[in-house]
Amino acid sequence: MNIVIFGAPGSGKGTQSEKLIERYGLYHISTGEVLRDHIARKTPIGQIAKTYINQGQLIPDSLMIRILEEIIENEPKAQKGVILDGFPRTIAQAEALDRFMAKHGREVKHVIGLEVPEDELIDRMIKRGQQTGRADDNPETIKNRLKVYHESTTPLREFYKNAGKYRKINGSGSVNDIFEEIAKAIDGEKA
Ligand code: AMP
């Protein structure tokens, strides 16, 4: 089973992914985490990614797609199933993902869409910035990230609705309640 966890920055994708890996034994790939790790290790990819991330922009599709495919192909733990957190973020990425999965006889089974009001997203990211020191959780970059989300990423909702894969989840409320909603959406499909 391969799952995409979808939503604006600050919608709780990372938090819910942690709970999903526990219950479903899937391998978690957060493209944001992967890039932040490259930056911390000062790799060539990290050098490129840093400029984009600090401006709240997306890194180029071709590079992001290559990074993701390499992880899925080479990580043994990813063979059983993955939770994609922060990918895809553009239609081009979603189309590449469909092709890649099909090539490997796999598919994206569910797209879990966490929907959270914008003022709550901003509050959460500001808090996270204060607690973790995450560089792009500052008011200016947050504004850009939300703009990019609305322009480039929200069209994916229609893309996955048309494919019959989009499961809308109210992303406000307690972490556990939200998780149970997600689990219901996933398990309901199995029955
Ligand atoms: P995240 O941790 O998912 O909020 O991602 C942090 C930042 O990493 C984003 O604002 C982008 O600059 C970059 N990033 C993460 N995932 C992607 C992606 N799928 N495509 C392009 N850029 C990405």
Side-chain angles (χ1 to χ4, degrees):
M1 181 164 66
N2 303 291
I3 294 177
V4 168
I5 187 145
F6 179 85
S11 60
K13 300 188 295 291
T15 305
Q16 293 299 331
S17 293
E18 293 302 325
K19 297 181 73 70
L20 282 162
I21 51 177
E22 256 172 54
R23 184 167 304 183
Y24 296 97
L26 303 169
Y27 184 69
H28 180 204
I29 305 175
S30 155
T31 43
E33 284 294 330
V34 169
L35 296 172
R36 282 188 288 277
D37 181 58
H38 273 283
I39 293 171
R41 290 188 288 117
K42 298 189 166 34
T43 68
I45 287 175
Q47 301 288 341
I48 300 170
K50 195 172 179 173
T51 327
Y52 291 98
I53 290 184
N54 287 345
Q55 291 172 2
Q57 300 294 330
L58 298 182
I59 74 159
D61 282 335
S62 55
L63 178 60
M64 193 71 251
I65 290 164
R66 190 147 39 87
I67 294 171
L68 181 88
E69 293 186 352
E70 224 171 80
I71 297 173
I72 298 182
E73 271 173 347
N74 297 326
E75 171 57 59
K77 292 187 200 132
Q79 304 318 311
K80 239 183 75 191
V82 291
I83 298 178
L84 299 181
D85 160 6
F87 186 99
R89 263 180 156 96
T90 63
I91 295 280
Q93 291 181 13
E95 287 174 346
L97 179 63
D98 276 352
R99 283 194 299 272
F100 176 80
M101 287 292 184
K103 193 173 95 186
H104 293 274
R106 296 167 71 161
E107 65 161 350
V108 170
K109 186 90 201 286
H110 308 282
V111 176
I112 303 295
L114 294 173
E115 305 206 355
V116 176
E118 188 126 334
D119 49 351
E120 198 175 330
L121 294 172
I122 296 170
D123 282 353
R124 287 185 188 180
M125 282 188 275
I126 297 280
K127 272 205 197 96
R128 185 173 61 187
Q130 288 163 350
Q131 284 164 358
T132 67
R134 188 171 143 172
D136 57 350
D137 281 338
N138 67 76
E140 190 59 32
T141 312
I142 288 171
K143 213 167 82 188
N144 288 341
R145 287 158 69 200
L146 288 171
K147 184 163 177 274
V148 166
Y149 173 73
H150 289 303
E151 285 171 3
S152 305
T153 307
T154 51
L156 286 178
R157 228 190 262 140
E158 284 309 306
F159 180 92
Y160 284 121
K161 274 182 190 165
N162 291 338
K165 294 182 176 179
Y166 192 79
R167 321 273 176 254
K168 177 180 165 171
I169 302 287
N170 176 359
S172 297
S174 86
V175 169
N176 284 335
D177 288 350
I178 297 166
F179 177 65
E180 289 312 322
E181 281 301 303
I182 296 174
K184 236 192 283 169
I186 293 172
D187 297 339
E189 293 289 317
K190 272 199 230 149

PDB file of all heavy atoms in Angstrom, residues 31-48:
ATOM      1  N   THR A  31       9.904  14.503   1.775  1.00  0.00           N
ATOM      2  CA  THR A  31      10.896  15.119   0.875  1.00  0.00           C
ATOM      3  C   THR A  31      11.535  16.341   1.541  1.00  0.00           C
ATOM      4  O   THR A  31      12.719  16.606   1.338  1.00  0.00           O
ATOM      5  CB  THR A  31      10.283  15.480  -0.495  1.00  0.00           C
ATOM      6  OG1 THR A  31       9.000  16.079  -0.294  1.00  0.00           O
ATOM      7  CG2 THR A  31      10.131  14.253  -1.356  1.00  0.00           C
ATOM      8  N   GLY A  32      10.746  17.072   2.375  1.00  0.00           N
ATOM      9  CA  GLY A  32      11.327  18.205   3.109  1.00  0.00           C
ATOM     10  C   GLY A  32      12.450  17.740   4.027  1.00  0.00           C
ATOM     11  O   GLY A  32      13.524  18.338   4.059  1.00  0.00           O
ATOM     12  N   GLU A  33      12.206  16.623   4.743  1.00  0.00           N
ATOM     13  CA  GLU A  33      13.234  16.075   5.644  1.00  0.00           C
ATOM     14  C   GLU A  33      14.460  15.624   4.857  1.00  0.00           C
ATOM     15  O   GLU A  33      15.595  15.837   5.290  1.00  0.00           O
ATOM     16  CB  GLU A  33      12.690  14.863   6.418  1.00  0.00           C
ATOM     17  CG  GLU A  33      11.754  15.202   7.560  1.00  0.00           C
ATOM     18  CD  GLU A  33      12.460  15.949   8.684  1.00  0.00           C
ATOM     19  OE1 GLU A  33      13.665  15.728   8.882  1.00  0.00           O
ATOM     20  OE2 GLU A  33      11.798  16.773   9.338  1.00  0.00           O
ATOM     21  N   VAL A  34      14.213  14.978   3.741  1.00  0.00           N
ATOM     22  CA  VAL A  34      15.326  14.495   2.899  1.00  0.00           C
ATOM     23  C   VAL A  34      16.200  15.685   2.486  1.00  0.00           C
ATOM     24  O   VAL A  34      17.436  15.638   2.577  1.00  0.00           O
ATOM     25  CB  VAL A  34      14.784  13.755   1.646  1.00  0.00           C
ATOM     26  CG1 VAL A  34      15.893  13.485   0.632  1.00  0.00           C
ATOM     27  CG2 VAL A  34      14.110  12.441   2.050  1.00  0.00           C
ATOM     28  N   LEU A  35      15.539  16.772   2.079  1.00  0.00           N
ATOM     29  CA  LEU A  35      16.300  17.946   1.633  1.00  0.00           C
ATOM     30  C   LEU A  35      17.028  18.610   2.805  1.00  0.00           C
ATOM     31  O   LEU A  35      18.186  19.014   2.672  1.00  0.00           O
ATOM     32  CB  LEU A  35      15.366  18.947   0.944  1.00  0.00           C
ATOM     33  CG  LEU A  35      14.704  18.456  -0.353  1.00  0.00           C
ATOM     34  CD1 LEU A  35      13.650  19.459  -0.820  1.00  0.00           C
ATOM     35  CD2 LEU A  35      15.741  18.236  -1.463  1.00  0.00           C
ATOM     36  N   ARG A  36      16.345  18.702   3.958  1.00  0.00           N
ATOM     37  CA  ARG A  36      17.002  19.314   5.129  1.00  0.00           C
ATOM     38  C   ARG A  36      18.217  18.497   5.560  1.00  0.00           C
ATOM     39  O   ARG A  36      19.232  19.045   5.979  1.00  0.00           O
ATOM     40  CB  ARG A  36      16.002  19.468   6.293  1.00  0.00           C
ATOM     41  CG  ARG A  36      15.055  20.660   6.107  1.00  0.00           C
ATOM     42  CD  ARG A  36      14.209  20.935   7.338  1.00  0.00           C
ATOM     43  NE  ARG A  36      13.177  19.937   7.544  1.00  0.00           N
ATOM     44  CZ  ARG A  36      11.987  19.938   6.934  1.00  0.00           C
ATOM     45  NH1 ARG A  36      11.685  20.883   6.067  1.00  0.00           N
ATOM     46  NH2 ARG A  36      11.102  18.996   7.170  1.00  0.00           N
ATOM     47  N   ASP A  37      18.125  17.171   5.389  1.00  0.00           N
ATOM     48  CA  ASP A  37      19.259  16.306   5.710  1.00  0.00           C
ATOM     49  C   ASP A  37      20.432  16.571   4.753  1.00  0.00           C
ATOM     50  O   ASP A  37      21.590  16.625   5.163  1.00  0.00           O
ATOM     51  CB  ASP A  37      18.794  14.840   5.632  1.00  0.00           C
ATOM     52  CG  ASP A  37      19.901  13.878   5.984  1.00  0.00           C
ATOM     53  OD1 ASP A  37      20.433  13.996   7.097  1.00  0.00           O
ATOM     54  OD2 ASP A  37      20.249  13.025   5.140  1.00  0.00           O
ATOM     55  N   HIS A  38      20.109  16.754   3.464  1.00  0.00           N
ATOM     56  CA  HIS A  38      21.161  17.098   2.496  1.00  0.00           C
ATOM     57  C   HIS A  38      21.828  18.421   2.876  1.00  0.00           C
ATOM     58  O   HIS A  38      23.047  18.563   2.779  1.00  0.00           O
ATOM     59  CB  HIS A  38      20.581  17.214   1.082  1.00  0.00           C
ATOM     60  CG  HIS A  38      20.529  15.901   0.355  1.00  0.00           C
ATOM     61  ND1 HIS A  38      21.629  15.302  -0.205  1.00  0.00           N
ATOM     62  CD2 HIS A  38      19.491  15.074   0.082  1.00  0.00           C
ATOM     63  CE1 HIS A  38      21.288  14.162  -0.782  1.00  0.00           C
ATOM     64  NE2 HIS A  38      19.988  13.985  -0.619  1.00  0.00           N
ATOM     65  N   ILE A  39      21.005  19.386   3.307  1.00  0.00           N
ATOM     66  CA  ILE A  39      21.565  20.694   3.689  1.00  0.00           C
ATOM     67  C   ILE A  39      22.485  20.524   4.896  1.00  0.00           C
ATOM     68  O   ILE A  39      23.604  21.044   4.905  1.00  0.00           O
ATOM     69  CB  ILE A  39      20.428  21.706   3.987  1.00  0.00           C
ATOM     70  CG1 ILE A  39      19.652  22.022   2.696  1.00  0.00           C
ATOM     71  CG2 ILE A  39      20.994  22.992   4.600  1.00  0.00           C
ATOM     72  CD1 ILE A  39      18.387  22.837   2.890  1.00  0.00           C
ATOM     73  N   ALA A  40      22.048  19.751   5.882  1.00  0.00           N
ATOM     74  CA  ALA A  40      22.858  19.548   7.094  1.00  0.00           C
ATOM     75  C   ALA A  40      24.177  18.864   6.755  1.00  0.00           C
ATOM     76  O   ALA A  40      25.212  19.163   7.352  1.00  0.00           O
ATOM     77  CB  ALA A  40      22.071  18.716   8.108  1.00  0.00           C
ATOM     78  N   ARG A  41      24.141  17.940   5.765  1.00  0.00           N
ATOM     79  CA  ARG A  41      25.370  17.220   5.390  1.00  0.00           C
ATOM     80  C   ARG A  41      26.186  17.983   4.340  1.00  0.00           C
ATOM     81  O   ARG A  41      27.199  17.512   3.865  1.00  0.00           O
ATOM     82  CB  ARG A  41      25.008  15.815   4.866  1.00  0.00           C
ATOM     83  CG  ARG A  41      24.504  14.881   5.978  1.00  0.00           C
ATOM     84  CD  ARG A  41      24.326  13.448   5.501  1.00  0.00           C
ATOM     85  NE  ARG A  41      23.190  13.292   4.619  1.00  0.00           N
ATOM     86  CZ  ARG A  41      23.242  12.903   3.344  1.00  0.00           C
ATOM     87  NH1 ARG A  41      24.410  12.623   2.781  1.00  0.00           N
ATOM     88  NH2 ARG A  41      22.147  12.794   2.621  1.00  0.00           N
ATOM     89  N   LYS A  42      25.680  19.137   3.949  1.00  0.00           N
ATOM     90  CA  LYS A  42      26.364  20.000   2.974  1.00  0.00           C
ATOM     91  C   LYS A  42      26.683  19.270   1.669  1.00  0.00           C
ATOM     92  O   LYS A  42      27.788  19.393   1.121  1.00  0.00           O
ATOM     93  CB  LYS A  42      27.648  20.583   3.579  1.00  0.00           C
ATOM     94  CG  LYS A  42      27.413  21.461   4.796  1.00  0.00           C
ATOM     95  CD  LYS A  42      28.715  22.162   5.186  1.00  0.00           C
ATOM     96  CE  LYS A  42      28.578  23.305   6.146  1.00  0.00           C
ATOM     97  NZ  LYS A  42      27.580  23.294   7.159  1.00  0.00           N
ATOM     98  N   THR A  43      25.750  18.493   1.179  1.00  0.00           N
ATOM     99  CA  THR A  43      25.945  17.786  -0.092  1.00  0.00           C
ATOM    100  C   THR A  43      25.655  18.756  -1.249  1.00  0.00           C
ATOM    101  O   THR A  43      25.054  19.817  -1.035  1.00  0.00           O
ATOM    102  CB  THR A  43      24.968  16.599  -0.222  1.00  0.00           C
ATOM    103  OG1 THR A  43      23.644  17.136  -0.355  1.00  0.00           O
ATOM    104  CG2 THR A  43      25.011  15.664   0.985  1.00  0.00           C
ATOM    105  N   PRO A  44      26.024  18.382  -2.487  1.00  0.00           N
ATOM    106  CA  PRO A  44      25.695  19.241  -3.641  1.00  0.00           C
ATOM    107  C   PRO A  44      24.187  19.478  -3.767  1.00  0.00           C
ATOM    108  O   PRO A  44      23.757  20.596  -4.058  1.00  0.00           O
ATOM    109  CB  PRO A  44      26.238  18.447  -4.838  1.00  0.00           C
ATOM    110  CG  PRO A  44      27.329  17.590  -4.262  1.00  0.00           C
ATOM    111  CD  PRO A  44      26.888  17.249  -2.869  1.00  0.00           C
ATOM    112  N   ILE A  45      23.383  18.444  -3.518  1.00  0.00           N
ATOM    113  CA  ILE A  45      21.925  18.635  -3.568  1.00  0.00           C
ATOM    114  C   ILE A  45      21.506  19.641  -2.492  1.00  0.00           C
ATOM    115  O   ILE A  45      20.676  20.522  -2.724  1.00  0.00           O
ATOM    116  CB  ILE A  45      21.184  17.284  -3.369  1.00  0.00           C
ATOM    117  CG1 ILE A  45      21.321  16.422  -4.620  1.00  0.00           C
ATOM    118  CG2 ILE A  45      19.697  17.512  -3.045  1.00  0.00           C
ATOM    119  CD1 ILE A  45      20.734  15.016  -4.497  1.00  0.00           C
ATOM    120  N   GLY A  46      22.122  19.524  -1.318  1.00  0.00           N
ATOM    121  CA  GLY A  46      21.824  20.448  -0.224  1.00  0.00           C
ATOM    122  C   GLY A  46      22.113  21.898  -0.589  1.00  0.00           C
ATOM    123  O   GLY A  46      21.338  22.798  -0.254  1.00  0.00           O
ATOM    124  N   GLN A  47      23.226  22.096  -1.293  1.00  0.00           N
ATOM    125  CA  GLN A  47      23.590  23.467  -1.707  1.00  0.00           C
ATOM    126  C   GLN A  47      22.503  24.067  -2.589  1.00  0.00           C
ATOM    127  O   GLN A  47      22.139  25.233  -2.445  1.00  0.00           O
ATOM    128  CB  GLN A  47      24.908  23.456  -2.518  1.00  0.00           C
ATOM    129  CG  GLN A  47      26.101  22.881  -1.790  1.00  0.00           C
ATOM    130  CD  GLN A  47      26.601  23.807  -0.696  1.00  0.00           C
ATOM    131  OE1 GLN A  47      26.295  24.991  -0.700  1.00  0.00           O
ATOM    132  NE2 GLN A  47      27.353  23.266   0.248  1.00  0.00           N
ATOM    133  N   ILE A  48      22.005  23.242  -3.515  1.00  0.00           N
ATOM    134  CA  ILE A  48      20.957  23.727  -4.430  1.00  0.00           C
ATOM    135  C   ILE A  48      19.662  23.953  -3.655  1.00  0.00           C
ATOM    136  O   ILE A  48      19.016  25.003  -3.775  1.00  0.00           O
ATOM    137  CB  ILE A  48      20.703  22.702  -5.571  1.00  0.00           C
ATOM    138  CG1 ILE A  48      21.982  22.482  -6.393  1.00  0.00           C
ATOM    139  CG2 ILE A  48      19.556  23.150  -6.475  1.00  0.00           C
ATOM    140  CD1 ILE A  48      21.903  21.328  -7.375  1.00  0.00           C
TER     141      ILE A  48
END
